[in-house]
Amino acid sequence: MPAFQTTPGMRDVLPPESARWRRFVDVYAEVVEGAGYGQVIPPLMEDIKVFARVGDATDVVTKEMYDFVDKGDRHVALRPEQTASVCRAFVQHRPATPWKVWYAGPNFRYEKPQRGRYRQFDQVGVEVLGANDPYLDVEVIALGWDFYRRLGLRQVTLLVNSLGEPDDRARYVEALRAHFTANLDALSADSRTTLTKNPLRVLDSKRRDDADLIAAAPRIRSFYSDTAAAHFETVVAGLGALDIPFTLDPTLVRGLDYYRRTTFEYQGGTLDSAQNALGGGGRYDGLVEALGGPATPGIGFALGLDRTLIACDDERVFAVGDTGVETFVVDTTGGLEALTITRELREAGITCDRAYENRSMKSQMKGADRSGARVAIIVGTDELERGVVTVRPLRGADEQSAVARTDLIDSVRKALS
Ligand code: AMP
């Protein structure tokens, strides 16, 4: 074993898999930028209080943060998610509303590593600050949906719920507390602890012993005020108008105190049910205020890269494309020809690689093979003396030909076409 390895939950992403990661973000950027969202790149690290504002009823904030005191005595944390950073940026820079932004990048959570769960993991997301329109909820939900479709996924399901207005939600929480407290004996030990912190989160329990009690729990629907009910009806009708299939799931809650009204989650059809959430989001109010800004409604989602790529593997879509170069230069005359020819090709927009250390023809041709190139450009002493290069197609039945050095670019273009 080498002396140094990545620490638990951390990974190196190597080629060609790294190309897939980048393409994932490229596809995502195309979808959201096509809808008028601009990219925001928040720092990886913030004052820990920025994240603490997200609420203390969640493990992400209470147990899993990578935090430390820096050399200037500031208590900082690596971001465990990006919504709080985006809201902090909104308060700091006061952009015009609605502020429609997207992000992509790593987050850090000190979790127990397992398949699809790491301590550094990437998410892509959107946030819209400053608009309360229910059709915006539909737009945001549809963007996530369309992104999965664009990747080629066909077995994603969408769950939708509404948590009502803050007052509705508060009354509902009390009803849940009463329901679970009256049946404490039937509740798992973990859920009893959750109950003391946030009764809503008990609905998140995937434990079989809790299932009956959760099924018998009061439903949020009967707590909706007229405005909450109207907002949700419009969202549901909007999804219908876009032909986006979804399931109403009254137990879908976002644990954070700031979430209200619309919540949603995308699940991977091929993934194990305990880990099948590909991403999710919802409406939140109050977060911008908690960070020192004016009352501002917000909505957004965060989609995990890892589980989405696992789902892609399961559905055999979004495979790593051919990331190799188009051409490969073989030079057995010392390497100066390879040096100048690769430069010429690259300047002409033709991708190319080469061999080094003046190896034998056979060894260099092996390199050409490995590179995935379709055309080799070969220079030996004979070619050098005659002022030509040999252009050799590496796939297909075409013959190689000697072409004048001055015709290099045109000949290579022809061989590639
Ligand atoms: P959350 O921010 O917790 O709502 O998570 C949104 C999505 O991010 C989840 O559905 C996962 O796909 C992904 N995710 C969350 N935590 C992790 C993690 N530790 N490792 C990998 N993916 C994660």
Side-chain angles (χ1 to χ4, degrees):
M1 245 219 276
F4 294 108
Q5 304 218 6
T6 47
T7 56
M10 303 283 173
R11 294 159 296 162
D12 299 310
V13 185
L14 306 179
E17 181 64 5
S18 50
R20 200 183 187 209
W21 279 46
R22 202 178 61 213
R23 202 145 65 81
F24 183 92
V25 177
D26 288 348
V27 171
Y28 179 73
E30 259 171 49
V31 171
V32 292
E33 292 196 337
Y37 292 69
Q39 186 178 11
V40 56
I41 308 177
L44 291 181
M45 205 172 72
E46 302 257 3
D47 185 324
I48 191 167
K49 291 193 217 81
V50 171
F51 304 118
R53 291 285 186 273
V54 169
D56 51 15
T58 142
D59 286 352
V60 170
V61 170
T62 52
K63 295 194 211 144
E64 296 170 0
M65 266 206 287
Y66 277 88
D67 66 308
F68 60 97
V69 176
D70 76 5
K71 292 188 199 324
D73 255 347
R74 293 174 204 91
H75 193 179
V76 293
L78 298 181
R79 64 184 185 206
E81 53 104 48
Q82 296 177 57
T83 304
S85 297
V86 170
C87 290
R88 193 266 313 135
F90 176 81
V91 174
Q92 186 172 338
H93 304 288
R94 304 282 165 121
T97 55
W99 199 43
K100 295 173 64 172
V101 294
W102 68 275
Y103 60 77
N107 303 327
F108 303 83
R109 295 181 192 172
Y110 198 85
E111 295 196 83
K112 190 158 174 259
Q114 52 188 290
R115 182 173 138 93
R117 191 171 285 285
Y118 307 94
R119 288 181 177 172
Q120 176 178 330
F121 63 96
D122 275 55
Q123 282 183 338
V124 294
V126 294
E127 308 292 345
V128 184
L129 293 170
N132 222 342
D133 190 331
Y135 289 134
L136 173 60
D137 305 26
V138 180
E139 171 179 300
V140 167
I141 296 171
L143 277 178
W145 181 260
D146 291 343
F147 169 58
Y148 292 123
R149 304 290 287 183
R150 192 77 75 87
L151 292 178
L153 288 171
R154 290 295 177 269
Q155 297 186 47
V156 175
T157 51
L158 168 64
L159 305 180
V160 180
N161 189 25
S162 168
L163 292 173
E165 299 288 344
D167 283 352
D168 312 344
R169 182 186 149 131
R171 282 184 295 120
Y172 181 52
V173 166
E174 286 324 307
L176 278 181
R177 195 191 311 278
H179 168 74
F180 289 122
T181 306
N183 298 281
L184 262 193
D185 294 347
L187 212 54
S188 68
D190 277 355
S191 289
R192 262 178 265 157
T193 312
T194 310
L195 180 61
T196 60
K197 292 195 224 148
N198 185 348
L200 268 184
R201 277 231 99 130
V202 177
L203 298 179
D204 266 347
S205 164
K206 306 238 157 121
R207 288 170 194 285
R208 204 163 299 147
D209 7 341
D210 294 332
D212 290 347
L213 211 49
I214 290 174
R219 290 294 182 236
I220 179 78
R221 193 178 311 134
S222 43
F223 293 80
Y224 291 157
S225 58
D226 290 348
T227 48
H231 187 100
F232 194 42
E233 265 166 39
T234 310
V235 172
V236 165
L239 289 171
L242 298 186
D243 279 332
I244 295 177
F246 62 93
T247 307
L248 292 176
D249 179 356
T251 67
L252 180 71
V253 295
R254 308 287 292 172
L256 311 187
D257 289 346
Y258 293 101
Y259 278 104
R260 53 213 41 166
R261 292 195 290 283
T262 316
T263 58
F264 53 95
E265 186 169 293
Y266 307 96
Q267 297 188 339
T270 60
L271 303 183
D272 182 59
S273 69
Q275 288 257 70
N276 64 354
L278 298 175
R283 262 203 180 276
Y284 51 89
D285 292 342
L287 190 49
V288 170
E289 281 165 279
L291 290 163
T296 308
I299 180 168
F301 62 60
L303 315 177
L305 172 145
D306 295 289
R307 281 183 222 166
T308 304
L309 288 184
I310 292 173
C312 288
D313 289 338
D314 291 345
E315 291 197 35
R316 295 177 197 288
V317 296
F318 198 63
V320 191
D322 192 353
T323 58
V325 290
E326 299 168 284
T327 65
F328 194 94
V329 181
V330 170
D331 171 9
T332 57
T333 69
L336 183 60
E337 290 302 304
L339 184 71
T340 53
I341 289 173
T342 48
R343 182 107 192 280
E344 260 176 64
L345 289 167
R346 289 167 190 163
E347 282 189 335
I350 300 167
T351 59
C352 65
D353 199 359
R354 55 164 295 188
Y356 303 97
E357 299 183 326
N358 203 26
R359 297 274 166 102
S360 70
M361 170 72 92
K362 191 170 156 206
S363 152
Q364 294 196 38
M365 284 310 296
K366 245 192 228 158
D369 229 29
R370 253 201 314 268
S371 75
R374 284 187 285 134
V375 170
I377 293 117
I378 302 166
V379 188
T381 31
D382 177 48
E383 279 95 347
L384 191 57
E385 272 165 19
R386 290 165 50 210
V388 298
V389 298
T390 297
V391 175
R392 181 188 293 178
L394 296 174
R395 301 182 208 165
D398 289 349
E399 295 286 310
Q400 69 175 38
S401 56
V403 305
R405 178 75 169 73
T406 45
D407 292 341
L408 174 73
I409 301 297
D410 280 349
S411 311
V412 170
R413 281 217 177 99
K414 216 177 284 160
L416 282 171
S417 67

